[in-house]
């Protein structure tokens, strides 16, 4: 009954901050404080491709199409990219500043992949519409006021 290690994947230069597994493409996508995202082929245990983010990647989410990713970065960049596994195509990153340029600690997507939610060091929660690789702000929820003294 215990866990069995089935293989190792090449590591990042700094702490890994996110991991996503695709059954459909037999890949693992990893994000790191070294400002890179790596796409690993699990069966061959090889690196399929990598992306250079604008700064340390703090959070990563995969859309249901298993090709599009959203990254939250230390520099406040909210990035989108399409990762083509088969055939491998170098990914392009689209980036915009979000959360006042402060770190984006959390990114998640809805089941259909048309909405992205983010949470940043500014304590705001933001909801975005995603069409293709373009993100449009729909809603910004401020942090609650401090309690009265």
């Amino acid at each position: 009954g215990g866990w069995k290690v089935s293989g190792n994947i090449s590591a990042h230069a700094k702490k890994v901050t996110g991991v996503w597994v695709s059954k459909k493409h037999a890949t693992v996508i990893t994000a790191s404080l070294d400002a890179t995202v790596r796409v690993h082929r699990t069966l061959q245990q090889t690196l399929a491709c990598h992306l250079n983010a604008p700064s340390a990647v703090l959070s990563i989410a995969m859309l249901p199409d298993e090709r599009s990713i959203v990254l939250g970065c230390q520099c406040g960049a909210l990035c989108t990219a399409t990762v083509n596994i088969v055939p491998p195509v170098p990914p392009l990153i689209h980036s915009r500043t979000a959360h006042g340029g402060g770190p984006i600690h959390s990114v998640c997507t809805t089941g259909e992949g048309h909405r992205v939610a983010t949470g940043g060091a500014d304590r705001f929660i933001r909801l975005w519409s995603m069409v293709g690789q373009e993100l449009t702000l729909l809603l910004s929820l401020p942090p609650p006021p401090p309690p009265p003294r």
Side-chain angles (χ1 to χ4, degrees):
W3 288 84
K4 179 184 172 193
V5 176
S6 60
N8 292 313
I9 296 175
S10 60
H12 288 269
K14 293 187 178 178
K15 178 182 172 184
V16 173
T17 55
V19 176
W20 187 85
V21 179
S22 167
K23 290 181 188 178
K24 182 178 177 182
H25 299 293
T27 57
V28 173
I29 299 176
T30 59
S32 171
L33 293 180
D34 65 8
T36 64
V37 174
R38 297 176 190 261
V39 180
H40 310 271
R41 289 188 184 98
T42 55
L43 298 177
Q44 298 89 350
Q45 295 186 15
T46 59
L47 182 66
C49 64
H50 78 275
L51 301 93
N52 292 316
S55 67
V57 181
L58 302 179
S59 54
I60 183 171
M62 175 65 72
L63 273 66
D65 66 6
E66 294 196 9
R67 293 182 54 233
S68 302
I69 59 173
V70 181
L71 309 173
C73 296
Q74 178 73 35
C75 68
L78 181 59
C79 305
T80 60
T82 299
V83 179
N84 291 316
I85 310 300
V86 180
V89 175
L92 296 174
I93 290 188
H94 302 273
S95 179
R96 66 168 294 145
T97 301
H99 291 272
I104 300 172
H105 291 282
S106 185
V107 176
C108 68
T109 63
T110 57
E112 81 284 347
H114 300 295
R115 300 279 188 268
V116 174
T118 59
D122 62 358
R123 300 175 40 220
F124 277 73
I125 305 300
R126 292 192 167 88
L127 183 64
W128 307 82
S129 170
M130 186 167 175
V131 178
Q133 297 297 310
E134 295 298 318
L135 290 163
T136 305
L137 183 62
L138 296 175
L139 178 67
S140 184
L141 300 172
R149 292 185 171 210

